[in-house]
């Protein structure tokens, strides 16, 4: 029996896509190489915050099945690839999961199938990496026997206002016919479609969006450090600037950038730009600023403790928020990781509190989780506020019995020191 959609990679991007497809009545299956992910989904346990267990139950009732058998790809009307595109150990773009997924699709590809890549990647990935793997492995021709497109995912996990259906979706086809089939597919899932000239334009648009955030986060942090040096209140500066109704998008300083996208995607773009002999100097300058931020936090923490007559070595330091964004359980590339690493090197005993993150391991060593917030604040020699989770409210922070370093500039109180002072 044919399946309307098979999603390859059931993570933060793939599972919400499968959920939306089920909701509009598409017959949907998922293929993932991770046995734990598949077993969890089959047992009705969602590992993705944006897809609740109740929603997964509705998907399973509608016939959704997750599995590790790539044979399901041979029954697909449309295949959407949502696998990770991280970096190798030496910081280079890693397309191994995209290649592996494309090879699995190729081995089962049938004439008439639409294949879409959603993974974020460098311009040219669809045409130069995915297309040859599909054509060689299947003996079929893109644009003639099967259809191939790129459509970047713009999902913002935890965003209560914008999800898959009401965020405009960019689509680029390998040929006009490929774009037509991809548009017909996404038209059932998404309110607004934007057709790019081709796959490279769609790939580049996604990288521009995330590089824009990367560079602007670096800029606002550098401005904050500059304000410190000039004795200017950066919070007031940001408040004033944000009142401009046009030509200015607000960003906030903090401990750094995190997540699977913003710290990673500019490296994919930079690698392409380098290969083209057109290095992106703004991206490398932003990287220099951002890479330094966690160290700035730990240096301020150490100075704070020293000012109180306490050595950092042996001090108990409580990190508030291990995830990279508010309300999220995602610790990938979180600034909390280098903060832990640096504090450990200084001899501190580091604990964390985060209601969303049950376990947090840095360099193979678990960071102990503080059991209960008020007691943890009472026991700590210093708390460092890293994340804007709602549980860290103003009354609690103002009454904290230990000194607090607030990297977000949110709170004031007798024992609170803001990372950026005025
Ligand atoms: N997370 C986000 O907010 C977000 C937003 C926009 C775009 N993206 C991009 O989407 C892509 C996927 O990101 P994600 O956050 O969903 O990743 P994820 O790690 O949450 O999920 C990826 C899934 O793919 C599976 N997988 C890996 N290799 C596979 C293979 N060869 N075959 C089948 N399954 C395989 C993994 O087991 C995992 O379950 C990345 O390119 C990312 O940059 C992510």
């Amino acid at each position: 029996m044919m399946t309307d959609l098979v999603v390859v990679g059931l993570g933060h991007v793939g599972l919400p896509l499968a959920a939306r497809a089920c909701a509009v009545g598409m017959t949907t299956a998922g293929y993932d190489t991770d046995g734990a992910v598949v077993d969890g989904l089959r047992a009705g346990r969602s590992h993705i915050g944006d897809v609740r267990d109740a929603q997964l139950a509705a998907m399973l009732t509608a016939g959704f099945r997750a599995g590790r058998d790539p044979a399901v790809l041979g029954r697909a009307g449309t295949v959407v690839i949502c696998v990770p595109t991280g970096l190798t150990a030496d910081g280079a773009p890693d397309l191994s999961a995209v290649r592996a997924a494309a090879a699995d699709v190729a081995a089962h590809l049938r004439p008439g199938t639409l294949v879409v890549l959603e993974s974020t990647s460098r311009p040219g990935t669809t045409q130069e990496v995915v297309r040859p793997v599909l054509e060689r492995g299947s003996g079929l021709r893109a644009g003639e026997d099967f259809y191939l497109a790129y459509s970047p995912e713009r999902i913002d996990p935890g965003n209560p206002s914008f999800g898959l259906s009401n965020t405009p979706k960019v689509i680029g086809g390998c040929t006009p016919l490929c774009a037509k089939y991809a548009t017909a597919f996404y038209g059932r899932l998404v309110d607004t479609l934007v057709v790019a000239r081709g796959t490279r334009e769609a790939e580049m648009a996604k990288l521009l969006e995330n590089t824009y955030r990367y560079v602007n986060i670096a800029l606002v942090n550098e401005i904050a450090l500059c304000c410190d040096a000039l004795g200017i209140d950066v919070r007031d500066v940001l408040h004033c600037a944000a009142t401009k109704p046009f030509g200015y998008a607000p960003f906030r300083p903090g401990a750094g950038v995190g997540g699977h996208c913003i710290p990673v995607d500019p490296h994919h773009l930079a690698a392409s730009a380098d290969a083209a002999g057109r290095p992106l100097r703004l991206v490398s300058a932003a990287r220099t600023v951002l890479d330094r931020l966690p160290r700035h936090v730990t240096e301020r923490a150490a100075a704070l403790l020293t000012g109180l007559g306490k050595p950092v070595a042996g001090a108990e330091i409580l990190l508030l928020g291990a995830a990279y964004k508010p309300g999220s359980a995602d610790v990938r590339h979180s600034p909390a990781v280098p903060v832990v690493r640096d504090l450990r090197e200084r001899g501190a005993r580091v604990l964390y509190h985060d209601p969303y993150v049950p376990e947090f391991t840095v360099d193979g060593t678990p960071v102990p989780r503080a059991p209960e917030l008020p007691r943890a604040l009472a026991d700590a020699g210093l708390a460092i506020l890293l994340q804007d989770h709602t549980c860290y409210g103003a009354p609690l922070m103002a009454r904290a019995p230990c000194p607090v370093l607030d990297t977000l500039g949110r709170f004031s109180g007798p024992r609170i020191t803001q990372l950026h002072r005025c």
Side-chain angles (χ1 to χ4, degrees):
M1 202 177 84
M2 287 297 285
T3 302
D4 292 332
L5 169 65
V6 176
V7 178
V8 181
L10 296 168
H12 294 79
V13 168
L15 194 61
L17 173 67
R20 175 75 184 141
C22 289
V24 302
M26 289 185 189
T27 52
T28 306
Y31 166 59
D32 200 295
T33 46
D34 186 327
V37 165
V38 168
D39 291 348
L41 292 173
R42 290 172 87 103
R45 287 190 310 273
S46 171
H47 59 301
I48 300 298
D50 284 349
V51 177
R52 304 263 164 236
D53 284 352
Q55 205 176 350
L56 177 58
M59 292 167 70
L60 294 170
T61 304
F64 172 76
R65 288 293 173 268
R68 290 174 71 189
D69 183 357
V72 69
L73 293 161
R75 298 189 288 275
T78 296
V79 174
V80 180
I81 300 173
C82 307
V83 298
T85 43
L87 302 173
T88 60
D90 54 1
D94 182 359
L95 295 185
S96 57
V98 170
R99 285 197 180 88
D104 279 340
V105 176
H108 300 88
L109 192 61
R110 290 156 53 116
T113 308
L114 168 68
V115 181
V116 185
L117 178 67
E118 286 209 5
S119 304
T120 309
S121 184
R122 66 173 171 77
T125 302
T126 309
Q127 284 278 17
E128 295 153 23
V129 177
V130 175
R131 180 178 184 161
V133 174
L134 292 177
E135 291 187 338
R136 266 200 310 271
S138 67
L140 301 174
R141 290 276 305 158
E144 294 171 19
D145 308 316
F146 71 97
Y147 307 99
L148 179 60
Y150 180 76
S151 182
E153 180 47 65
R154 284 171 155 171
I155 208 158
D156 180 19
N159 189 322
S161 309
F162 290 101
L164 182 55
S165 63
N166 66 348
T167 304
K169 195 129 175 57
V170 174
I171 295 166
C174 280
T175 65
L177 195 56
C178 294
K180 190 176 154 194
Y181 280 111
T183 306
F185 168 72
Y186 282 110
R188 295 179 64 189
L189 306 175
V190 181
D191 299 341
T192 307
L193 303 179
V194 182
V195 181
R197 186 167 166 184
T199 53
R200 289 161 58 86
E201 284 75 14
E203 289 160 339
M204 190 68 173
K206 172 68 188 181
L207 291 175
L208 170 62
E209 290 165 18
N210 283 0
T211 303
Y212 169 87
R213 284 190 68 74
Y214 186 78
V215 168
N216 276 286
I217 293 168
L219 174 66
V220 80
N221 275 289
E222 194 166 44
I223 291 288
L225 292 166
C226 172
C227 284
D228 291 349
L230 295 173
I232 294 171
D233 181 348
V234 70
R235 287 179 66 195
D236 200 42
V237 171
L238 295 173
H239 165 72
C240 293
T243 59
K244 188 178 179 189
F246 50 88
Y248 178 83
F251 289 86
R252 290 189 326 178
V257 283
H260 188 53
C261 299
I262 307 301
V264 173
D265 299 349
H267 294 265
H268 285 262
L269 180 55
S272 285
D274 288 348
R278 200 91 192 139
L280 293 166
R281 280 168 297 189
L282 271 181
V283 172
S284 54
R287 188 183 309 162
T288 306
V289 173
L290 292 169
D291 285 352
R292 182 79 183 76
L293 291 178
R295 177 60 69 94
H296 181 64
V297 171
T298 56
E299 281 170 358
R300 290 277 283 134
L304 202 58
L305 282 168
T306 308
L308 295 167
K310 299 179 189 169
V312 185
E316 184 170 301
I317 299 184
L318 173 68
L319 304 184
L320 301 175
Y324 84 92
K325 69 187 284 189
S328 164
D330 196 343
V331 296
R332 293 178 295 180
H333 298 282
S334 170
V337 173
V339 167
V340 168
R341 194 173 287 140
D342 196 48
L343 289 173
R344 279 178 176 167
E345 275 169 19
R346 292 168 186 265
R349 285 189 300 123
V350 189
L351 291 85
Y352 83 100
H353 173 274
D354 193 312
Y356 304 95
V357 178
E359 287 168 11
F360 183 38
T361 296
V362 174
D363 299 332
T365 307
V367 185
R369 187 181 193 194
E372 187 238 338
L373 188 52
R375 215 181 77 210
L377 287 168
D379 291 347
L382 172 74
I384 305 179
L385 178 69
L386 292 175
Q387 201 40 268
D388 216 357
H389 292 324
T390 48
C391 59
Y392 307 133
L396 179 85
M397 300 314 295
R399 284 198 313 270
C402 68
V404 177
L405 176 61
D406 173 6
T407 69
L408 309 171
R410 278 201 54 198
F411 301 114
S412 49
R415 300 177 72 77
I416 295 176
T417 303
Q418 296 195 354
L419 180 64
H420 299 290
R421 50 197 147 190
C422 50

